[in-house]
Amino acid sequence: MRYSGLKIFTEALTGNKGWGPNWRQPTPKDTYDVIIVGAGGHGLATAYYLAKEFDIHDVAVLEKGWLGLGNVGRNTTIIRSNYMLPGNEPFYELSMKLWEGLAQDLNYNVMVSQRGLLNLFHNDPQRDSFIRRGNAMRLAGADAVLLDQDGVRRMYPFFDFDSSRFPIKGGLLQPRGGTARHDAVAWGYARKCDELGVDILQNCEVESFIIEGGICKGVETAKGSIRANKVAVCVAGSSGHVMAMAGLRLPIESHVMQAFVSEALKPVIHGVVTFGAGHFYVSQSDKGGLVFGGDIDGYNSYAQRGNLPVIEDVCEGGMAIMPMIGRARILRAWGGTVDMSMDGSPFIDKTDIERLYFNGGWCYGGFKATPASGWCYAYLLANDKPHEVASKFRLNRFKSGNMIDEKGMGAQPNLH
Amino acid sequence: MRKGWAHSQTCIERHNNMIIDHPLLGPRDAREFVYLGDASLMNRPDWKDENAAEQFYEYLYLRTNTMGEHRELWYHEHGDRSWLVVTRHTLTHEITKVELARDLGLNVGQNK
Ligand SMILES: Cc1cc2nc3c(=O)[nH]c(=O)nc-3n(C[C@H](O)[C@H](O)[C@H](O)COP(=O)(O)OP(=O)(O)OC[C@H]3O[C@@H](n4cnc5c(N)ncnc54)[C@H](O)[C@@H]3O)c2cc1C
């Protein structure tokens, strides 16, 4: 079914009886060409591009709960391509280009809103490093604009520019950055996958891999064993746990990341803003809530909930740039399990086990990557070689010394 | 006063705020500590081993990333600056054991 203005109009006149479910609830077949483990944003995008771009339709996406239960439905929805390193930036810029056409492509309103992403800086060295990053972005075809204090003042006059501790000196703006509606991204991809013949199997947890003679031949699930030509794991926060079932240890730790929404306020923050002297980022939803977050809690966790000290720390970050939000109340807080890698960058790669593939290590920033991650993972599965822009996301990069460490933090996942 | 305190206690429990029972100093709020990671980081490979490079690669970069009981290193930065080995469940955050890393390290050394 194609969604359109006309469809809404005719449905309104005929009692809205013509809307059907967006996807089927199929029973698993015995075998598939490709099994994707995890119906998050990345898993669903992978299945979609496999079917659409690479004509591989015999695909199942296996999900332990319901689709969208993981990080795709828990993130703060920021999309951007403001990375610096050559291993990263072209990939994220591809993602940004895909975002720009996604609603049309999926025929689904994913609410991509390029409202502009502003990273604030507070001192001279930070300004220098932001100039460098802005230049790197532009070299990769992305957009970046350096704003001085007046430039920021024109956008957000109410910031605490002259705070004695962290005065705001300016910012790096990516006008094409912004937000998208996270749930709609999962639903939009799922609907199209289903249309293209992909089976989305919910409540079908993968419990082990069928590995015969060093070759992965399928998976054992809550709904019985399912065989496949290729098995592609895409489980974000559960990466370590799932890959351990194949006997693999990864350069990844699972951590908890929290996010918050305030009560609804009148429109005040029209873009996305990040604090440069601590970890805090904020946007305002269409309903009026401030959607914000900050640092991960910092200890290994699969609990999908965090602790109070980080909540306090995040709110202090917000207060440092706009003290006026101090009276706003937090309405909701939640956590997700993020797959923190050893250099802060992701993996899209084959594993040492033949026909077993791995996509993960997205840390707290994989929502923006959803379209390109799906695209490049599908490319890898179809062609058995990495896509050009994802060619550095290899599992062996720590052995070969080719880390992609944007922050230069070293092998300490909770610092990335 | 008391009522307020009791209330904040339940809040803390509900949010599962982590209290680490320091072997020397008693119960301390986790925010006094800095987290390093898996306690296997105490077992530094021997650089003289034949496959030392491989061992160091695994030591530094690969993690078991356990879902369940996890032994991990916490540093009491805002306290007595000792390293602790904390046994904590990564699904519930429940802490079941806290040991001084120094004691464990000395044990390992003595058995070498
Ligand atoms: C609080 C928070 C804020 C964030 N903010 C941002 C942001 O602003 N911008 C941004 O770019 N990124 C952000 N992220 C990161 C982003 O959400 C993730 O990197 C991204 O969603 C991960 O990919 P995914 O959507 O495929 O993961 P998920 O949605 O987590 O999908 C993985 C799926 O695998 C399933 N699964 C796990 N184990 C099994 C199994 N054994 N069998 C079958 N299925 C299994 C899970 O149930 C889950 O549905 C944030 C993350 C969090 C937690």
Side-chain angles (χ1 to χ4, degrees):
Chain A
M1 181 203 300
R2 238 198 109 67
Y3 291 159
S4 66
L6 182 67
K7 174 83 185 156
I8 293 175
F9 187 70
T10 47
E11 282 300 324
L13 292 179
T14 53
N16 282 308
K17 293 200 187 81
W19 305 113
N22 275 199
W23 49 83
R24 296 162 292 137
Q25 309 279 355
T27 36
K29 295 195 289 179
D30 293 339
T31 63
Y32 289 91
D33 197 358
V34 180
I35 283 178
I36 294 166
V37 186
H42 293 212
L44 293 166
T46 305
Y48 170 63
Y49 294 118
L50 265 178
K52 179 177 167 251
E53 299 296 326
F54 303 100
D55 210 23
I56 299 174
H57 295 263
D58 188 19
V59 179
V61 188
L62 276 46
E63 168 55 50
K64 76 171 169 191
W66 61 92
L67 73 88
L69 130 116
N71 292 348
V72 70
R74 291 167 189 264
N75 63 73
T76 41
T77 78
I78 299 170
I79 58 174
R80 55 188 170 92
S81 59
N82 61 350
Y83 286 71
M84 188 177 77
L85 299 178
N88 271 333
E89 181 58 8
F91 171 84
Y92 287 103
E93 182 49 25
L94 170 66
S95 210
M96 189 52 98
K97 295 214 166 76
L98 290 169
W99 279 118
E100 286 169 335
L102 197 63
Q104 296 301 324
D105 189 26
L106 295 179
N107 177 228
Y108 205 90
N109 187 3
V110 288
M111 292 167 69
V112 170
S113 161
Q114 295 182 292
R115 51 183 75 181
L117 172 116
L118 178 66
N119 299 131
L120 299 174
F121 59 77
H122 307 271
N123 53 42
D124 282 351
Q126 205 171 21
R127 179 174 182 272
D128 291 346
S129 79
F130 277 27
I131 293 174
R132 181 172 173 226
R133 172 136 61 103
N135 285 336
M137 288 162 66
R138 293 175 68 141
L139 281 173
D143 56 325
V145 182
L146 191 77
L147 299 182
D148 60 8
Q149 198 188 58
D150 281 345
V152 177
R153 219 184 265 276
R154 273 195 290 279
M155 292 181 79
Y156 300 99
F158 50 84
F159 282 175
D160 191 6
F161 288 92
D162 306 316
S163 134
S164 48
R165 184 72 181 88
F166 303 117
I168 296 167
K169 300 287 191 189
L172 185 68
L173 177 72
Q174 181 176 26
R176 285 160 66 240
T179 58
R181 169 82 202 279
H182 52 0
D183 295 322
V185 172
W187 300 333
Y189 273 121
R191 171 171 163 267
K192 274 288 172 186
C193 280
D194 189 79
E195 251 178 53
L196 294 169
V198 172
D199 280 359
I200 301 170
L201 307 173
Q202 302 182 79
N203 298 309
C204 189
E205 176 164 4
V206 169
E207 290 162 351
S208 64
F209 294 96
I210 304 169
I211 296 169
E212 292 163 359
I215 303 171
C216 185
K217 298 264 172 86
V219 290
E220 298 289 350
T221 76
K223 294 185 173 173
S225 57
I226 308 177
R227 302 223 150 213
N229 193 15
K230 291 177 179 172
V231 176
V233 175
C234 201
V235 293
S238 303
S239 293
H241 178 65
V242 169
M243 295 312 277
M245 299 193 247
L248 298 178
R249 291 172 83 223
L250 301 173
I252 288 178
E253 281 178 7
S254 292
H255 285 257
V256 54
M257 166 89 175
Q258 303 190 64
F260 314 91
V261 173
S262 79
E263 59 190 323
L265 307 172
K266 288 195 172 166
V268 54
I269 295 170
H270 48 84
V272 183
V273 180
T274 73
F275 180 40
H279 212 158
F280 172 82
Y281 46 83
V282 63
S283 65
Q284 190 168 14
S285 77
D286 292 353
K287 283 186 282 186
L290 299 180
V291 182
F292 60 99
D295 266 326
I296 58 174
D297 274 42
Y299 42 82
N300 284 52
S301 173
Y302 286 95
Q304 292 186 310
R305 65 165 185 274
N307 276 308
L308 289 168
V310 170
I311 303 183
E312 190 176 8
D313 184 63
V314 170
C315 293
E316 279 167 1
M319 290 291 287
I321 29 181
M322 31 187 179
M324 69 173 192
I325 64 169
R327 301 297 292 265
R329 277 162 295 194
I330 295 180
L331 210 60
R332 295 189 289 130
W334 65 92
T337 308
V338 290
D339 35 340
M340 300 298 297
S341 69
M342 285 289 159
D343 58 359
S345 294
F347 308 96
I348 301 179
D349 203 359
K350 303 183 199 183
T351 68
D352 288 341
I353 296 165
E354 219 173 298
R355 305 210 189 145
L356 178 63
Y357 298 75
F358 178 71
N359 173 317
W362 295 97
C363 303
Y364 46 77
F367 177 65
K368 70 176 94 70
T370 305
S373 167
W375 187 288
C376 294
Y377 204 20
Y379 184 99
L380 174 71
L381 288 163
N383 301 311
D384 254 328
K385 59 170 197 241
H387 187 284
E388 198 190 337
V389 298
S391 61
K392 300 288 186 283
F393 297 159
R394 312 305 291 271
L395 275 163
N396 69 358
R397 66 174 179 260
F398 298 97
K399 213 174 217 172
S400 59
N402 293 305
M403 296 78 163
I404 317 172
D405 192 341
E406 288 275 341
K407 288 198 190 165
M409 286 296 187
Q412 186 61 38
N414 62 356
L415 296 183
H416 286 294
Chain B
M1 252 331 251
R2 273 199 76 119
K3 215 173 156 201
W5 181 82
H7 173 73
S8 70
Q9 276 287 307
T10 37
C11 273
I12 283 173
E13 270 160 31
R14 203 179 313 127
H15 280 89
N16 201 17
N17 212 27
M18 292 192 299
I19 304 288
I20 296 177
D21 199 358
H22 192 300
L24 303 176
L25 302 175
R28 316 295 304 196
D29 194 314
R31 70 196 308 186
E32 292 177 11
F33 295 79
V34 173
Y35 181 81
L36 184 69
D38 196 308
S40 67
L41 287 167
M42 287 172 69
N43 313 323
R44 205 179 156 82
D46 190 339
W47 61 271
K48 296 192 280 330
D49 281 354
E50 219 162 274
N51 60 346
E54 176 70 23
Q55 283 188 47
F56 268 104
Y57 160 69
E58 291 187 5
Y59 165 81
L60 185 58
Y61 294 114
L62 301 188
R63 295 288 182 273
T64 305
N65 199 13
T66 313
M67 183 187 279
E69 258 193 11
H70 192 236
R71 293 181 77 238
E72 55 200 25
L73 286 163
W74 292 75
Y75 177 62
H76 200 194
E77 185 173 38
H78 300 291
D80 71 344
R81 304 207 206 156
S82 54
W83 281 97
L84 304 183
V85 174
V86 175
T87 307
R88 192 181 54 94
H89 203 286
T90 54
L91 273 168
T92 61
H93 297 168
E94 190 194 356
I95 294 172
T96 45
K97 198 171 183 183
V98 185
E99 299 153 281
L100 281 174
R102 205 180 62 125
D103 291 350
L104 297 171
L106 286 174
N107 274 341
V108 173
Q110 271 157 11
N111 295 335
K112 257 194 182 163

